[in-house]
Amino acid sequence: MRLHRNLCFAVIDGLHKIFNEGEYADKVIQQLLKRDKRWGSRDRSFVAETVYSIVRYQRLYAEISNVKAPYDRDNLWRIFAVWATLKGIKLPDWKYFTDTPTRKIKGRFDELSKIRKYRESIPDWMDNLGVEELGENIWTEEIAIQNEQADVILRVNTLKTTKKDLQLKLQSEDIETETLPDHPYALKLKERANVFKTEAFKNGWFEVQDASSQLVADFLDVKPGMKVVDVCAGAGGKSLHLAALMQNKGQVIAMDIYESKLKKLKIRARRNGVHNIEMKVIDSTKPIKKLYGKADRLLIDAPCSGLGVLRRNPDAKWKLQPEFIKQIKQTQTDVLQQYSKMVKSGGKMVYATCSILPSENEKQVDNFLTSENGKDFKLVKDKKILAHTSGYDGFYMALLEKK
């Protein structure tokens, strides 16, 4: 493989923004890919995958190249040289690569790979927390898979098409997919492709949604005609799924504290042919209190550490802090206490997170059930999904019923 100067410069610029300016990797990559109209798909995938790969293994590569954050440009080139050497790529005769100690790099890699926090490239505190909550063996396997590239999974929009028809439509656009056992609405891409440019996407035949995330709406046991509240809706992937499961009948109230996210949901709902979603911004306690005792079903897709989805957000390893996890657990407790009041007698709710930590999942549910507001609820069932056993995102969901 030959390195091209303009592509390598794009990678270095991207890493500078992510590591030194705290920008989000996915946003930075979106900007980089618009940088040069002459780039083909291979060029764009080199830029995206190289940036992601170096972000994933930042700690390991920085340790091997003996540099410390904040990284100047020379440091970033040294990190890049480590990445290229370990990939077996011949370094060109550029000034940035003068005196790169190739043999020493490989030796240091072998040495550091014996230590999990370097091998998987995570902060000390995260490694300690993972072991404390999941035990040595499970954490070792789980954090290893979080460094692998996630598959692209689609959720078929049953309001507009069937899984079979979607497969055939995508096939006609040169995109091959396969079905997944135990995931009734999912198709997995056999090879990565830009699905957003397809006719099928523009016609609202599918959304991109991980297989684990697709199980949440199903878990809520909705029926057409119900009043269903999705209280941390975000851009509404699960709200859209709920609407489809309800066959567009009844009402889905999608709520979030960010109006900008609900605006995205509005656009997605139009494309999906969904017209039973009502959007409400949570700008005070009023919209919540108005719904006390009114919901047949409630979905709390709670804010969390996101430790189950690091494959998709590798820069989160460096942005997350122990203090944030403490705060988010308090938020989860508050959200359960307040929003659960919306469930009517005989109604059900799902508490879900994309975390793998018991302290954010089972323990939150146990604490809620022993609290004053939770004593009227019982746990019907819960499901914990680990990435290393499922192959998909780490997730947790618990179904509770109000007596």
Side-chain angles (χ1 to χ4, degrees):
M1 182 189 190
R2 216 167 116 246
L3 293 176
H4 297 278
R5 204 179 278 260
N6 64 339
L7 299 177
C8 295
F9 270 101
V11 169
I12 297 297
D13 289 348
L15 294 173
H16 171 72
K17 286 185 171 178
I18 296 162
F19 293 155
N20 298 333
E21 294 178 5
E23 293 191 29
Y24 288 97
D26 56 343
K27 300 277 187 292
V28 168
I29 286 166
Q30 278 172 21
Q31 291 161 13
L32 289 177
L33 298 185
K34 292 174 187 161
R35 187 157 156 161
D36 193 328
K37 288 193 171 75
R38 294 166 303 177
W39 288 352
S41 61
R42 196 177 289 177
D43 299 329
R44 285 199 296 276
S45 93
F46 170 82
V47 171
E49 283 168 27
T50 305
V51 170
Y52 268 133
S53 181
I54 294 173
V55 169
R56 276 191 188 100
Y57 291 103
Q58 179 200 169
R59 183 174 188 182
L60 177 63
Y61 295 164
E63 192 70 24
I64 292 171
S65 49
N66 200 22
V67 298
K68 288 194 165 38
Y71 311 114
D72 61 24
R73 297 256 158 189
D74 287 344
N75 287 341
L76 291 172
W77 280 108
R78 286 178 76 169
I79 289 173
F80 182 91
V82 168
W83 169 83
T85 302
L86 294 172
K87 288 271 180 203
I89 298 166
K90 191 175 184 301
L91 294 173
D93 188 15
W94 301 347
K95 64 175 182 180
Y96 313 104
F97 303 134
T98 315
D99 304 327
T100 299
T102 310
R103 192 173 291 169
K104 196 175 165 191
I105 286 172
K106 289 174 180 165
R108 281 290 278 153
F109 174 77
D110 291 342
E111 197 182 304
L112 290 168
S113 292
K114 295 185 180 103
I115 306 162
R116 184 180 49 230
K117 63 186 180 184
Y118 291 119
R119 179 177 68 246
E120 308 306 348
S121 210
I122 46 175
D124 289 12
W125 70 264
M126 191 181 285
D127 196 37
N128 297 336
L129 180 66
V131 171
E132 185 188 315
E133 294 227 11
L134 294 169
E136 197 83 37
N137 295 343
I138 291 177
W139 174 245
T140 299
E141 296 210 42
E142 191 65 10
I143 197 61
I145 201 166
Q146 290 295 352
N147 274 326
E148 292 176 13
Q149 192 179 51
D151 291 314
V152 179
I153 312 286
L154 313 179
R155 178 181 60 74
V156 61
N157 176 13
T158 50
L159 293 174
K160 290 206 165 187
T161 188
T162 64
K163 198 191 275 191
K164 192 75 213 138
D165 285 347
L166 176 58
Q167 270 194 299
L168 292 169
K169 177 72 174 156
L170 289 170
Q171 209 169 30
S172 75
E173 300 190 52
D174 296 326
I175 294 174
E176 293 290 339
T177 59
E178 56 190 90
T179 58
L180 301 178
D182 306 321
H183 294 84
Y185 314 101
L187 288 176
K188 180 167 94 171
L189 262 59
K190 288 186 180 178
E191 282 178 23
R192 296 184 85 76
N194 186 353
V195 290
F196 300 114
K197 285 189 169 169
T198 62
E199 277 296 307
F201 178 73
K202 288 170 190 163
N203 294 337
W205 283 25
F206 69 85
E207 288 289 329
V208 173
Q209 186 179 4
D210 184 75
S212 299
S213 172
Q214 290 188 31
L215 298 174
V216 176
D218 239 1
F219 215 68
L220 192 54
D221 183 31
V222 294
K223 303 275 187 301
M226 283 183 169
K227 189 188 199 81
V228 179
V229 183
D230 179 0
V231 88
C232 307
K238 296 181 187 74
S239 293
L240 294 170
H241 193 185
L242 289 166
L245 292 171
M246 293 160 70
Q247 299 160 25
N248 247 339
K249 294 168 188 158
Q251 186 185 24
V252 177
I253 301 172
M255 308 180 85
D256 203 90
I257 54 172
Y258 299 109
E259 191 174 6
S260 58
K261 289 185 178 179
L262 294 175
K263 280 180 178 168
K264 285 180 186 164
L265 170 54
K266 202 171 189 177
I267 295 163
R268 292 171 81 185
R270 201 175 302 138
R271 190 181 61 245
N272 276 252
V274 166
H275 47 71
N276 67 334
I277 293 183
E278 186 187 330
M279 289 147 222
K280 285 190 178 170
V281 183
I282 303 172
D283 49 9
S284 68
T285 56
K286 205 183 283 178
I288 305 294
K289 286 179 177 167
K290 267 189 176 172
L291 287 165
Y292 280 1
K294 304 263 176 72
D296 295 300
R297 298 287 185 269
L298 171 70
L299 172 58
I300 302 177
D301 186 13
C304 69
S305 63
L307 285 178
V309 292
L310 290 177
R311 294 196 291 185
R312 299 179 186 283
N313 310 302
D315 49 329
K317 293 195 284 189
W318 314 113
K319 289 189 166 66
L320 269 178
Q321 295 297 332
E323 300 74 48
F324 173 81
I325 293 189
K326 267 187 205 142
Q327 287 162 10
I328 213 72
K329 285 180 197 170
Q330 187 54 53
T331 304
Q332 290 162 354
T333 301
D334 296 346
V335 159
L336 263 169
Q337 289 295 332
Q338 287 309 311
Y339 298 169
S340 60
K341 293 175 186 170
M342 294 186 197
V343 184
K344 61 162 67 161
S345 189
K348 295 175 184 174
M349 75 170 176
V350 162
Y351 170 79
T353 77
C354 54
S355 173
I356 48 174
L357 300 179
S359 61
E360 292 185 80
N361 297 331
E362 298 94 326
K363 285 181 185 165
Q364 286 287 17
V365 172
D366 289 346
N367 290 344
F368 171 70
L369 290 171
T370 55
S371 71
E372 189 55 34
N373 288 338
K375 70 178 188 319
D376 292 334
F377 285 85
K378 63 170 185 180
L379 176 66
V380 179
K381 57 179 179 173
D382 69 349
K383 188 177 182 70
K384 182 171 191 165
I385 304 168
L386 292 171
H388 79 274
T389 51
S390 69
Y392 308 109
D393 288 349
F395 245 88
Y396 175 78
M397 53 202 85
L399 177 68
L400 298 101
E401 188 171 2
K402 192 169 186 180
K403 298 164 195 166

